[in-house]
Amino acid sequence: MNLFSSFYRDRLLEKLSNTHYDVVVIGGGITGAGIALDAVSRGLKTALIEMSDFASGTSSRSTKLIHGGLRYLKQFEIGLVREVGRERAVVHQLAPHLVRAEKMLLPLTTGGTYSKMATSVGLMVYDVLAGVEKEDQRIMLSKEDTEKLEPMLKADNLEGGGLYAEYRTDDARLTIEVLKTAARYGAHPVNYLKAEEFIYEEGQITGLKCTDLTVNRQVLIRSRFVVNAAGPWVDQVRDLNRSATGKRLHLTKGVHIVVDYQALPVRQAVYFDVPDGRMIFAIPRGQITYIGTTDTDYYGNPADVKAWQEDVDYLIDATNHTFPDARLTRSHVISSWAGLRPLVYEEGKSASEISRRDEIFESPTGLISIAGGKLTGYRKMAERIVDLIGEKHWEQTGKDLPECTTDQIPLCGGVFTNEEAVNEYISDLKALLSAAGLPEGTAEYLTGNYGRQTDQLLDQFNAPSDDTDPDLRLAKAELWFCLHNEMVFSPLDFFERRTGMLYFRPRRMALYLQPLLDMFAWYFKWPAEKLQQESETLEKILYESAHFKPRPR
Ligand code: FAD
């Protein structure tokens, strides 16, 4: 029985109530997912609870890069750059279909952030710290070569460029695949289950009272250790434990906008200067290019984070400054997302200056909290947390935990030996899919999203059906796959986090919204009013992701 399906929730909750766990993780973003996989793969009985959908917090709203963080070199964060830089190749190896090599172009301009010399040295140091293979190490480009590589760059103040290696991913898919892998090892991750209260015995945490938000019932979970990996909500969970003293979180907001590829047809990812001294990315991805990010202090409710007109205008102006021929306006924006960086507060530092390093806090009653960090570093963060649990386990039992082996555990869908194997798989699929009448780019999309699980999905696609539009048949096969294998409960779980359709293919989403919602209604036995209400909600979400209000004063 696959407990990571949408159809065995009752059994899963029964297990959660009846098991005495070693570790329960609060938070189903990448940090919590990584901890769950590390813990269960070292033999600890593990559960993970997520109050909304998996990856619905920051872990679906990042720039979606597995990167070393070049800009942290400027802040002399050598340790951070070395760790996340080296992690790039590891995470790529674990899921080469989902973490794809991407060359990044850094244009050098008169009066820009980096001089040619500083860039050349900086990128070289970056390569050394990150242990980049020789063939992938940075190349410095002349003005002419930079223009040739990226004809959209403004020629008059261009001095040259640096080309260096990064990786691109889908943050939400990465989180889901890590969780699915943890579930295969026997962990019990569950979404829509909110931690409300801690249970204590002799002054130490021994469990949690949770609410199942799908039916509003209480679930009690017993555990020897509880880890708080609640991202922007870390302090709220510490408040439940009355332990949010000393260091606190500092949230900063980051917005991305999406335009059609034709509106900003960059040939590769570009990391470019903004007139205010910051830098942002333009990243091509199939039929779109996305641009981001902003970085501003945020003091509101983490669940209400939105992109305002001011954020969008900032990104548009910055893009037009570097790519004047694009002449972007708000009307070019087809989608967007906004997320919060859960950073650890540092006195007197601005949003962009605060370190992205992770920190662990332990409360006197035993709550272990982790904050800060990067998507890229999730595995090492998890290792540190489970090593800490290992020390406590030793104190309690006199037994050692095995070492971390997550660098050797391929993620679900990622059983490819290397990038060439992924490319071969894509080219085999291409012939098959174009014969079936599917649009160009489908093979890349399916492989990037599902890896080898695409085979399973295509079996469903090939099953007898009344649908004459092959792309609709495919969208239905995707929903079928996600319902049976990826714990989808609400339409947004599917449209936003399992497929990225809301961000990257909003027109496809609008086109197939109704038939896909009908499928939800059939599987979950929705009454007509619920179907109507879901349909209106999603139409509104689609509209609001491309239309922006001014920031309230
Ligand atoms: P989250 O993903 O927010 O997960 C925490 C989860 O806890 C949430 O899903 C929430 O619902 C749940 N939760 C909260 N309270 C409870 C409760 N009481 N009960 C149950 N569940 C609860 N990093 C990179 O490496 N590369 C990048 O390109 C990159 N770009 C970024 C761009 C932006 C704009 C931002 C904001 C961040 C970026 N990052 C990047 C950083 C990275 O995205 C984050 O470090 C990471 O996603 C944080 O994950 P998390 O699991 O800690 O938090």
Side-chain angles (χ1 to χ4, degrees):
M1 188 195 341
N2 176 5
L3 286 177
F4 212 87
S5 130
S6 314
F7 305 119
Y8 296 113
R9 188 174 178 86
D10 283 345
R11 301 231 188 141
L12 183 55
L13 291 184
E14 214 177 283
K15 278 196 186 288
L16 284 168
S17 300
N18 296 336
T19 309
H20 198 141
Y21 290 99
D22 294 312
V23 182
V24 172
V25 182
I26 304 172
I30 190 66
T31 309
I35 295 167
L37 175 58
D38 192 314
V40 74
S41 62
R42 294 204 222 182
L44 295 171
K45 254 188 234 153
T46 305
L48 176 145
I49 57 170
E50 164 54 53
M51 68 174 172
S52 176
D53 183 28
F54 303 122
S56 58
T58 305
S59 299
S60 53
R61 289 122 189 275
S62 76
T63 308
K64 306 178 194 301
L65 291 173
I66 294 298
H67 67 155
L70 179 63
R71 79 179 183 84
Y72 310 133
L73 260 191
K74 219 172 127 188
Q75 291 158 269
F76 296 105
E77 296 249 26
I78 304 293
L80 178 70
V81 175
R82 181 188 288 115
E83 179 171 297
V84 284
R86 286 178 187 259
E87 270 305 286
R88 297 181 309 177
V90 177
V91 187
H92 167 67
Q93 194 57 43
L94 300 177
H97 67 292
L98 180 56
V99 179
R100 306 278 294 176
E102 174 96 32
K103 285 282 183 218
M104 187 73 69
L105 175 63
L106 185 83
L108 300 171
T109 53
T110 318
T113 302
Y114 299 108
S115 69
K116 203 161 190 173
M117 179 57 97
T119 304
S120 177
V121 174
L123 289 178
M124 193 177 71
V125 173
Y126 192 61
D127 282 343
V128 171
L129 286 176
V132 176
E133 301 280 338
K134 206 165 178 77
E135 64 272 20
D136 274 336
Q137 290 184 354
R138 66 102 171 86
I139 304 171
M140 294 307 294
L141 303 167
S142 66
K143 176 178 159 83
E144 292 69 34
D145 286 344
T146 309
E147 277 170 3
K148 242 187 258 163
L149 198 65
E150 192 46 79
M152 288 209 67
L153 284 168
K154 194 161 98 180
D156 45 359
N157 69 349
L158 189 67
E159 292 185 353
L163 195 65
Y164 65 104
E166 293 285 25
Y167 295 90
R168 197 190 64 185
T169 191
D170 184 304
D171 44 9
R173 289 283 336 158
L174 185 65
T175 306
I176 299 294
E177 299 300 8
V178 173
L179 283 168
K180 280 162 63 186
T181 311
R184 281 197 186 170
Y185 271 79
H188 295 149
V190 59
N191 49 6
Y192 297 102
L193 190 66
K194 182 177 183 189
E196 304 269 17
E197 229 178 279
F198 291 99
I199 302 169
Y200 302 90
E201 275 168 38
E202 295 172 9
Q204 290 298 298
I205 293 177
T206 54
L208 284 166
K209 280 186 193 158
C210 309
T211 306
D212 177 356
L213 299 176
T214 63
V215 288
N216 204 10
R217 72 181 147 187
Q218 204 180 61
V219 179
L220 298 188
I221 310 178
R222 299 270 160 195
S223 180
R224 290 167 60 210
F225 303 106
V226 177
V227 180
N228 166 13
W233 292 265
V234 155
D235 279 348
Q236 291 187 12
V237 173
R238 289 167 79 211
D239 278 336
L240 293 180
N241 177 238
R242 296 199 183 85
S243 62
T245 51
K247 287 195 176 178
R248 310 261 323 178
L249 285 195
H250 180 111
L251 304 182
T252 79
K253 184 176 89 166
V255 169
H256 291 81
I257 54 172
V258 180
V259 298
D260 278 323
Y261 178 71
Q262 289 316 326
L264 189 65
V266 283
R267 293 184 181 172
Q268 68 282 298
V270 187
Y271 185 36
F272 58 96
D273 282 318
V274 178
D276 67 4
R278 292 188 58 249
M279 295 186 74
I280 63 172
F281 295 97
I283 302 176
R285 187 183 187 113
Q287 293 159 10
I288 60 99
T289 302
Y290 65 94
I291 303 158
T293 169
T294 60
D295 197 356
T296 51
D297 294 328
Y298 186 83
Y299 303 102
N301 178 351
D304 283 344
V305 58
K306 284 189 177 66
W308 301 117
Q309 264 172 20
E310 289 79 353
D311 304 312
V312 173
D313 291 347
Y314 173 91
L315 294 172
I316 288 175
D317 292 346
T319 310
N320 286 336
H321 183 260
T322 295
F323 305 102
D325 292 343
R327 294 190 186 85
L328 291 185
T329 63
R330 270 187 226 150
S331 66
H332 286 98
V333 178
I334 60 167
S335 189
S336 64
W337 64 88
L340 295 174
R341 300 174 185 84
L343 308 177
V344 182
Y345 177 76
E346 288 180 71
E347 184 79 40
K349 292 211 172 163
S350 72
S352 295
E353 285 167 349
I354 298 178
S355 171
R356 268 55 179 166
R357 263 183 322 225
D358 57 282
E359 270 194 53
I360 297 174
F361 312 104
E362 284 185 73
S363 85
T365 52
L367 179 66
I368 302 170
S369 302
I370 181 156
K374 304 276 299 166
L375 182 76
T376 311
Y378 79 90
R379 213 186 54 77
K380 294 303 280 184
M381 289 165 70
E383 183 178 349
R384 279 193 279 280
I385 286 284
V386 183
D387 281 350
L388 178 65
I389 289 174
E391 286 169 24
K392 294 175 187 297
H393 176 75
W394 187 85
E395 282 163 18
Q396 289 178 6
T397 64
K399 290 185 191 148
D400 278 325
L401 274 192
E403 299 273 293
C404 167
T405 56
T406 51
D407 59 343
Q408 305 297 325
I409 302 176
L411 301 183
C412 277
V415 204
F416 294 96
T417 40
N418 51 31
E419 187 121 5
E420 285 79 65
V422 177
N423 291 336
E424 268 172 40
Y425 185 77
I426 292 177
S427 72
D428 292 349
L429 266 187
K430 267 187 180 161
L432 216 102
L433 299 184
S434 86
L438 285 162
E440 220 185 277
T442 305
E444 287 84 351
Y445 160 71
L446 288 176
T447 309
N449 244 31
Y450 307 102
R452 283 199 187 272
Q453 300 163 114
T454 302
D455 295 346
Q456 223 177 315
L457 195 149
L458 287 180
D459 285 346
Q460 181 66 16
F461 169 76
N462 288 321
S465 155
D466 294 336
D467 292 311
T468 48
D469 172 359
D471 201 25
L472 171 60
R473 230 166 66 221
L474 182 70
K476 286 187 172 178
E478 284 187 81
L479 178 53
W480 173 90
F481 176 82
C482 294
L483 285 167
H484 286 86
N485 300 285
E486 302 198 335
M487 234 189 255
V488 161
F489 289 105
S490 93
L492 260 198
D493 301 350
F494 176 70
F495 288 114
E496 186 175 0
R497 292 172 288 272
R498 303 300 183 278
T499 61
M501 239 192 273
L502 172 65
Y503 299 153
F504 303 124
R505 290 183 302 164
R507 291 187 196 98
R508 184 177 189 245
M509 173 171 161
L511 191 63
Y512 297 144
L513 189 58
Q514 219 45 60
L516 292 173
L517 286 181
D518 289 343
M519 216 170 131
F520 267 97
W522 187 84
Y523 272 105
F524 292 112
K525 302 187 177 58
W526 288 349
E529 310 82 73
K530 164 92 172 155
L531 177 59
Q532 177 65 25
Q533 182 200 332
E534 289 286 349
S535 168
E536 284 166 14
T537 305
L538 285 156
E539 296 281 3
K540 186 163 173 260
I541 288 170
L542 263 170
Y543 179 84
E544 286 179 352
S545 90
H547 299 85
F548 308 94
K549 293 188 181 139
R551 175 159 33 96
R553 304 276 159 203

